[in-house]
Amino acid sequence: MVNNTYTKIKEIREYARDNKVPIMNQEGIDFLTTFIIKHQIKNVLEIGTAIGYSAIMMSLCSPTLKVTTIERDEERYLEAIKNIKKLNLEDRITLIFNDALKTRVDGKYDLIFIDAAKAQNIKFFELFERNLNDGGFIITDNMYFHGLVKKSEKEIKSRNVRGIVRKIKDYIAFLKENDNYNTTIYDIGDGIAVSEKKTKGGA
Ligand code: SAH
Ligand code: MG
């Protein structure tokens, strides 16, 4: 990364820290960007922009990569616009301000990155898989939900949090049972699921 770019990225990370915006951690973002380069991903559909950090990091993987990203929170969406302008990535990142569950997107993508409301993962998956190319990937962040998915229910005090953890476990079962995809969950960052769509009529 060029000096100037690095400083701007650092500022975005600091804003996230100061304003408690749950952007991907360093280990997670390293995994995601390495994955994009390794698999020569050309375009990404992201659910959950927040302030544009992961969209920007993905875009910086290749000078031709395009990202479409959806965010429902206005304050974060506006901050994402600012950050994307700051890095001159307006031509390559398309922001959609809406609830993803009410959004229909055109076109097909090599990678769909799900990083929004954790209890809705099955819905996001089922809604947006129509936008995935054959042989493409769906990557889901926070499969451990800050480590809580590995704990027993008794250890989790909040009923609300227990509910989310249960939904993530349902999502894990959903992915494992889904014969159209091969899913691996990596013990990286906050737990990252990679679901590879099987190619039709393949060997
Ligand atoms: N991908 C970002 C972090 C996203 S945080 C990064 O790593 O930089 C999750 C975001 O998803 C939040 O900003 C939240 O407002 C948004 N979100 C949650 N549910 C959503 C929905 N149904 N539609 C659109 N955005 C949603
Ligand atoms: Mg996340």
Side-chain angles (χ1 to χ4, degrees):
M1 243 181 276
V2 197
N3 45 51
N4 207 5
T5 304
Y6 179 75
T7 309
K8 289 171 188 170
I9 296 291
K10 210 169 139 236
E11 282 166 8
I12 297 172
R13 284 196 192 120
E14 282 163 5
Y15 176 97
R17 187 198 57 207
D18 296 345
N19 294 278
K20 299 196 170 30
V21 182
I23 61 168
M24 229 183 181
N25 67 21
Q26 189 67 50
E27 205 183 53
I29 212 78
D30 286 347
F31 175 85
L32 186 63
T33 51
T34 305
F35 186 95
I36 285 173
I37 293 165
K38 184 175 164 198
H39 294 276
Q40 300 182 319
I41 301 294
K42 303 271 181 297
N43 58 1
V44 182
L45 174 62
E46 176 182 65
I47 318 303
T49 317
I51 58 172
Y53 173 68
S54 51
I56 288 168
M57 294 304 285
M58 292 191 281
S59 301
L60 294 175
C61 289
S62 138
T64 54
L65 186 107
K66 296 216 171 196
V67 179
T68 300
T69 179
I70 309 172
E71 175 57 53
R72 68 175 173 191
D73 179 274
E74 186 165 23
E75 200 181 333
R76 289 182 179 173
Y77 164 75
L78 293 173
E79 192 63 29
I81 293 184
K82 269 201 259 169
N83 289 332
I84 289 159
K85 275 204 184 122
K86 212 163 147 179
L87 283 127
N88 300 313
L89 289 168
E90 305 101 299
D91 295 347
R92 294 201 288 120
I93 302 177
T94 304
L95 282 162
I96 299 172
F97 173 45
N98 200 4
D99 184 331
L101 294 174
K102 295 182 186 144
T103 307
R104 301 292 177 274
V105 173
D106 290 332
K108 298 263 190 186
Y109 293 81
D110 293 341
L111 171 64
I112 297 175
F113 177 46
I114 301 177
D115 190 18
K118 305 308 160 193
Q120 311 288 328
N121 280 342
I122 295 181
K123 284 187 190 159
F124 295 134
F125 192 105
E126 289 185 328
L127 180 57
F128 293 107
E129 66 171 329
R130 75 194 68 185
N131 295 106
L132 189 65
N133 281 320
D134 267 1
F137 301 90
I138 297 182
I139 294 188
T140 313
D141 190 29
N142 306 101
M143 297 303 290
Y144 296 158
F145 197 52
H146 319 295
L148 291 168
V149 174
K150 288 177 173 174
K151 292 198 172 164
S152 75
E153 290 218 350
K154 274 186 232 147
E155 289 177 273
I156 304 169
K157 297 277 173 286
S158 148
R159 198 169 145 254
N160 182 30
V161 173
R162 272 201 305 273
I164 296 172
V165 166
R166 245 174 249 158
K167 293 271 195 181
I168 295 175
K169 286 181 179 165
D170 290 346
Y171 183 57
I172 293 171
F174 163 86
L175 293 176
K176 296 225 156 127
E177 285 161 14
N178 195 329
D179 289 334
N180 297 322
Y181 296 81
N182 287 317
T183 295
T184 308
I185 298 173
Y186 291 91
D187 198 356
I188 282 169
D190 191 28
I192 297 176
V194 176
S195 308
E196 179 173 13
K197 188 176 173 183
K198 296 177 187 170
T199 46
K200 288 200 192 93

